[in-house]
Amino acid sequence: MRESQCPSCGAPLIFKNAHSLYAVCRYCATFSVQAGDALKEVGKAAVLNEDGSPLQIGAVGYIPGVSGQTETRFEIVGRIQLDFGAGSWNEWYLDVDGQKEGMWLGEANGFYYLMQLVDTKSIKMQYMVLTDEKYKINDGLPGFSEAKLKDTIYLNNEKYYVKDIQQGTVVSGEGELPFEFHGGYDAPVIDCFSSNGKVLTIDYSEKPPMVFAGQVFEFKDLKFNKLRPVYGWSKYTNE
Amino acid sequence: MNETNAPKTVKARKFDCPSCGSSVTQKLPGKSVAVYCQKCKSLIDTSHEVMKIIDKYQNDPTVSPLIELGTHIQMENQEWEFTGYVERADQTGGSWQEYVFFNPYLGYRYLVRSADHYIWISPVPDYMFSSHDSPISSEDEYTPMVKFRGKQVFKRLTSYKAYVKFVMGELPWLARKNEENYVMEYINPPYVASVEGVQAKSKDEQKRTNDRFIEANWSLGEYKTPEEIQQAFQLKEPLHKPTTIGACEPNRYKGKWKNALLTAILSSFFLTGLCVAVPEENKEIMNSIQRIPISSMDLKKEGATDYLEFQFEAGTIELDKPKNLTISLKGIIDNQWVSINYFLMNENTREGFVFPSEISYYHGVDGGESWSEGSTSAVLRTQVLPAGTYYIIGVGATSYGLTDFKKHKAVLDVLKKGTVKPETLTPSLPSGNLDLTVTIHRDVTSQWPAVLAFFIIWSMSFYYFVRKRAFETARHGWYAMSYQSAGEDEEDEDDE
């Protein structure tokens, strides 16, 4: 954890994750970037859409342990809000205990997509294309405009199927983040899944595209607390 | 200035209806994207900053919802708010209602009410379903079965097109009047897995989708009884009971069949045990081993058949009460036959009974293949005999030793006349013996009551098995109709 000051209003800005370089001031919505020891103002963050999410910055959850391992605590430290034309979509940035790099938690209709940025340099990526009625395996990733639904993408020989191809827009963001965002910017995204429940998101807003891999959880799996109260609803309690 | 960029609690949003100008409340901003204006019944697209009218529903629902919009219910130990109501119909004219429920932590659920059947539906990420061990795609739309989480098997029931006819409240998708969705259903009662295909609208979309669906949304439904819904909705009046078979209604005879089958298996064990566990009732009262020399037999002829006749005294038996008997006969024969009449004489009453028994055993090799016929033993069962002491004589006929006997016939004839001393002829006498064992058991428990009981209990189980099968046949028959008309409808479109 490191503490800084908002270059605009002077309010304290706390970075919980080592990889966070950008932050939105919770008092004046100024968006700033770490430049040397100080913070530099980038601009003002747009207002986020009300989206009814019970998650918020400061909420805490636990990633279930695999095969008897203990669970891992995480805290929500930032988010990017996207719009795919049918409601808002949140990507929450998580500071995970014992892990330098943060993780991302996508939220969709009671399901939670826990994703980690993949180092594409150290991984074998291939995709299958149908050309002249013959299947051919190419290295790398398909271009955004090239990809079709149900195409196959291989990540370290694990087979993924393209499930969604969406052209989203970044609405805004808040809290601390590992990269810069701009409201109103395009976010071309491809979502894939494997038959054993792993998910893959390829974000084409940067070059080369960013690849996120992870898996899906249900609300109760993540044992959230410090959630945002929802009007008219009692606090959710894990049974 | 706002203290923070995001609101602290999740609140409802108010806006003016773009159609009639009256105030509309959106309870789930960011979640619902289609909101209904109570005043003018327009459906409004709220997914953008500028509200757009999707459709105007000037009609009323054909079936009123059972509860008011905004009502909180309890289902599967969770609280849900009734936020939207949709009426849909298929191309055959059948219609049903969908209740849209929301929980801010768990997302959306749907309750389908169709002909008084209820199904509680949860959306499921589609990778959880597979076909032939690879993920489902719409190319597999006619696959006969799908697997959930790689284990639970769902069999295809039906597929049909569904059209939106009426909307009330708020919905998480941009529903349009007459919007067409292609639905496929797979069942594993009480569960139903269904996939709703959304067709590509633009050419560009069609190109990208490799086929006709731009989206395929999977869900998992569970059958609910009218009683469960009455309780969840806290209704005073009981709901109508369905008169048809529900798509994923548990087979009404499955439980009965299982019970009948279990009963049949258990009682079979019990009855078999009972028959075995009564040794008193099946007591051996005579075991007589008879060695009958061929030389003591007489050659007889009936038609073209020669045979040897013999008789033996088996002994006496005592019956303290009227009882039935089994008489077993075992003989050492090889390509021969033995036929015996047992004469049972009651020494007290002078009453006589005759029981015939026969054994024959033949074997050989024919065309390189060995064969055998008959058996060296036989069992006969008598009727109930009166109490008393019985003297048993066996009078038999056999082909055993016949050849040998004929060879020495002349010698035997001389012997019988008694004119020659047997010692001088001994080397030429037929030397074989017919060995027979006669065993008598008394108090033999009749198997008939047990057989009857077996038959009754197994036919119960068979009856329910047939009813269970008929239920499934009726279910599939009923839902296949809509599937077939879906196919016909498509052909009609092609003709145009």
Side-chain angles (χ1 to χ4, degrees):
Chain A
M1 201 200 301
R2 61 186 196 278
E3 212 176 313
S4 230
Q5 279 187 336
C6 171
S8 176
C9 74
L13 275 180
I14 295 163
F15 287 88
K16 288 197 168 159
N17 188 274
H19 279 252
S20 303
L21 294 175
Y22 297 83
V24 178
C25 173
R26 56 197 288 262
Y27 297 100
C28 69
T30 296
F31 186 42
S32 47
V33 61
Q34 186 87 41
D37 287 341
L39 284 171
K40 204 176 102 190
E41 186 174 334
V42 178
K44 288 266 181 202
V47 177
L48 291 155
N49 286 343
E50 170 54 74
D51 55 24
S53 172
L55 301 190
Q56 63 177 352
I57 288 177
V60 170
Y62 295 86
I63 305 165
V66 185
S67 56
Q69 285 181 304
T70 51
E71 54 196 15
T72 313
R73 184 187 178 274
F74 65 81
E75 184 180 336
I76 296 178
V77 295
R79 80 157 143 173
I80 298 271
Q81 191 178 55
L82 300 145
D83 182 357
F84 289 104
S88 309
W89 172 279
N90 288 316
E91 285 290 348
W92 299 93
Y93 188 51
L94 313 178
D95 180 51
V96 184
D97 277 10
Q99 210 173 301
K100 266 192 175 175
E101 207 175 333
M103 288 177 92
W104 291 89
L105 189 67
E107 210 189 340
N109 193 22
F111 289 101
Y112 295 83
Y113 295 75
L114 185 72
M115 316 288 280
Q116 178 114 51
L117 184 67
V118 174
D119 179 10
T120 49
K121 281 176 202 131
S122 64
I123 205 161
K124 191 170 128 198
M125 292 186 296
Q126 289 170 312
Y127 67 103
M128 194 153 75
V129 279
L130 183 67
T131 37
D132 304 328
E133 300 196 354
K134 270 184 191 162
Y135 285 104
K136 208 181 128 199
I137 290 179
N138 289 350
D139 284 335
L141 290 171
F144 180 72
S145 53
E146 195 186 348
K148 291 202 281 293
L149 287 186
K150 293 191 284 287
D151 273 357
T152 35
I153 291 174
Y154 300 88
L155 210 74
N156 269 356
N157 299 325
E158 172 128 30
K159 198 173 179 180
Y160 290 86
Y161 298 83
V162 175
K163 148 81 179 148
D164 274 320
I165 302 166
Q166 297 190 89
Q167 183 73 58
T169 320
V170 176
V171 177
S172 188
E174 63 169 330
E176 59 182 273
L177 294 161
F179 51 69
E180 195 175 344
F181 70 87
H182 300 278
Y185 265 53
D186 283 346
V189 168
I190 290 178
D191 288 317
C192 315
F193 64 92
S194 77
S195 54
N196 60 8
K198 289 184 183 170
V199 283
L200 204 65
T201 297
I202 308 166
D203 181 347
Y204 288 85
S205 58
E206 284 192 20
K207 266 185 188 174
M210 290 185 287
V211 178
F212 297 88
Q215 56 175 319
V216 189
F217 291 96
E218 284 180 48
F219 186 83
K220 61 175 183 349
D221 299 333
L222 297 172
K223 296 186 188 169
F224 285 110
N225 57 56
K226 296 188 188 173
L227 292 170
R228 186 157 69 128
V230 186
Y231 181 77
W233 290 83
S234 50
K235 214 174 109 186
Y236 186 88
T237 45
N238 287 300
E239 292 141 88
Chain B
M1 215 50 232
N2 278 346
E3 190 190 274
T4 153
N5 204 13
K8 268 205 168 141
T9 57
V10 181
K11 280 193 202 114
R13 166 163 87 150
K14 276 195 162 71
F15 59 87
D16 294 338
C17 171
S19 176
C20 72
S22 57
S23 176
V24 178
T25 306
Q26 183 184 16
K27 282 186 141 184
L28 309 166
K31 295 282 183 211
S32 61
V33 290
V35 179
Y36 161 90
C37 168
Q38 281 186 309
K39 191 103 183 268
C40 71
K41 294 169 184 168
S42 294
L43 192 65
I44 306 147
D45 176 357
T46 60
S47 65
H48 303 281
E49 265 182 50
V50 181
M51 306 292 167
K52 282 195 294 189
I53 302 165
I54 303 172
D55 272 312
K56 288 192 179 182
Y57 288 86
Q58 295 300 342
N59 58 338
D60 283 317
T62 47
V63 181
S64 299
L66 294 164
I67 44 174
E68 298 268 314
L69 280 170
T71 307
H72 282 229
I73 66 148
Q74 287 281 332
M75 187 62 98
E76 308 202 314
N77 295 324
Q78 300 288 350
E79 189 181 349
W80 305 93
E81 185 178 328
F82 176 35
T83 64
Y85 183 72
V86 183
E87 277 192 3
R88 296 222 232 187
D90 63 19
Q91 67 274 26
T92 66
S95 68
W96 63 95
Q97 300 87 44
E98 281 177 19
Y99 291 70
V100 182
F101 289 94
F102 181 74
N103 173 304
Y105 308 102
L106 307 168
Y108 284 94
R109 295 293 183 276
Y110 305 87
L111 181 80
V112 167
R113 183 190 188 200
S114 172
D116 297 315
H117 292 286
Y118 299 88
I119 304 171
W120 180 252
I121 295 170
S122 311
V124 172
D126 50 5
Y127 67 79
M128 288 189 182
F129 284 95
S130 58
S131 159
H132 306 114
D133 297 318
S134 64
I136 286 288
S137 65
S138 47
E139 286 142 32
D140 302 322
E141 66 189 64
Y142 295 113
T143 182
M145 65 98 168
V146 295
K147 274 186 194 169
F148 178 59
R149 288 182 187 271
K151 288 191 282 258
Q152 215 174 353
V153 171
F154 285 76
K155 284 185 192 156
R156 194 186 75 206
L157 177 70
T158 183
S159 56
Y160 52 90
K161 280 181 198 164
Y163 303 90
V164 173
K165 290 294 173 195
F166 178 82
V167 172
M168 231 165 86
E170 298 181 21
L171 304 177
W173 80 95
L174 290 171
R176 290 189 167 276
K177 193 153 52 175
N178 293 325
E179 175 188 80
E180 185 181 286
N181 284 310
Y182 199 79
V183 185
M184 284 162 275
E185 288 181 3
Y186 301 83
I187 57 164
N188 179 348
Y191 302 104
V192 56
S194 50
V195 58
E196 229 181 89
V198 181
Q199 275 164 325
K201 285 169 192 88
S202 66
K203 282 219 164 138
D204 184 47
E205 275 180 351
Q206 278 167 1
K207 219 171 102 188
R208 278 222 144 177
T209 53
N210 275 343
D211 65 34
R212 31 200 242 136
F213 297 133
I214 186 160
E215 252 182 85
N217 297 313
W218 281 90
S219 60
L220 191 65
E222 189 180 353
Y223 190 83
K224 299 286 174 194
T225 61
E227 291 77 24
E228 284 174 292
I229 299 304
Q230 188 197 348
Q231 203 191 350
F233 285 9
Q234 299 203 315
L235 303 174
K236 283 184 193 129
E237 297 289 316
L239 293 163
H240 287 292
K241 286 198 191 302
T243 53
T244 56
I245 298 172
C248 63
E249 181 184 352
N251 191 312
R252 288 170 213 168
Y253 298 98
K254 198 173 183 181
K256 285 181 179 152
W257 173 65
K258 277 193 173 167
N259 285 342
L261 188 67
L262 195 69
T263 311
I265 292 169
L266 290 178
S267 353
S268 299
F269 275 121
F270 179 72
L271 283 172
T272 312
L274 203 68
C275 293
V276 169
V278 219
E280 281 287 314
E281 295 281 303
N282 197 13
K283 197 174 173 184
E284 185 181 298
I285 49 173
M286 197 183 91
N287 186 27
S288 160
I289 298 165
Q290 299 291 334
R291 169 159 283 209
I292 306 152
I294 297 168
S295 56
S296 72
M297 298 182 183
D298 290 323
L299 180 68
K300 299 272 167 157
K301 198 180 180 83
E302 199 177 306
T305 313
D306 290 331
Y307 62 90
L308 297 175
E309 201 178 75
F310 61 92
Q311 48 180 286
F312 59 90
E313 289 175 26
T316 53
I317 55 165
E318 293 274 347
L319 295 181
D320 52 351
K321 279 184 273 179
K323 289 195 173 134
N324 66 347
L325 308 170
T326 55
I327 306 173
S328 325
L329 172 68
K330 218 169 169 182
I332 301 172
I333 51 172
D334 189 2
N335 284 321
Q336 286 130 350
W337 57 267
V338 176
S339 167
I340 293 173
N341 280 325
Y342 301 103
F343 291 86
L344 277 73
M345 303 299 295
N346 189 320
E347 293 190 331
N348 312 78
T349 61
R350 296 281 155 196
E351 210 180 343
F353 299 90
V354 185
F355 302 106
S357 183
E358 193 177 303
I359 50 174
S360 70
Y361 179 67
Y362 290 91
H363 63 92
V365 178
D366 204 359
E369 285 199 36
S370 61
W371 58 272
S372 74
E373 203 177 274
S375 163
T376 59
S377 62
V379 179
L380 79 91
R381 178 189 303 280
T382 71
Q383 74 265 38
V384 176
L385 302 175
T389 308
Y390 286 85
Y391 178 60
I392 302 168
I393 300 170
V395 176
T398 184
S399 62
Y400 186 89
L402 189 61
T403 325
D404 209 19
F405 189 95
K406 279 180 174 169
K407 220 165 94 187
H408 300 277
K409 191 178 177 296
V411 180
L412 284 166
D413 285 346
V414 172
L415 261 177
K416 278 188 180 165
K417 281 178 189 162
T419 51
V420 181
K421 283 184 178 173
E423 290 81 10
T424 56
L425 297 166
T426 305
S428 306
L429 278 177
S431 55
N433 298 306
L434 173 62
D435 287 317
L436 297 173
T437 308
V438 178
T439 316
I440 298 179
H441 288 79
R442 69 151 195 235
D443 262 343
V444 187
T445 322
S446 169
Q447 301 294 326
W448 279 109
V451 167
L452 197 67
F454 267 96
F455 181 76
I456 292 166
I457 54 181
W458 281 99
S459 51
M460 288 277 283
S461 141
F462 180 71
Y463 168 77
Y464 284 123
F465 177 73
V466 170
R467 292 300 300 261
K468 177 175 126 354
R469 284 288 298 270
F471 188 91
E472 287 306 321
T473 310
R475 187 210 302 274
H476 283 271
W478 175 261
Y479 290 94
M481 286 195 315
S482 53
Y483 166 68
Q484 283 195 345
S485 34
E488 282 160 20
D489 190 60
E490 254 173 18
E491 279 169 28
D492 290 349
E493 277 182 9
D494 290 344
D495 291 344
E496 285 162 25

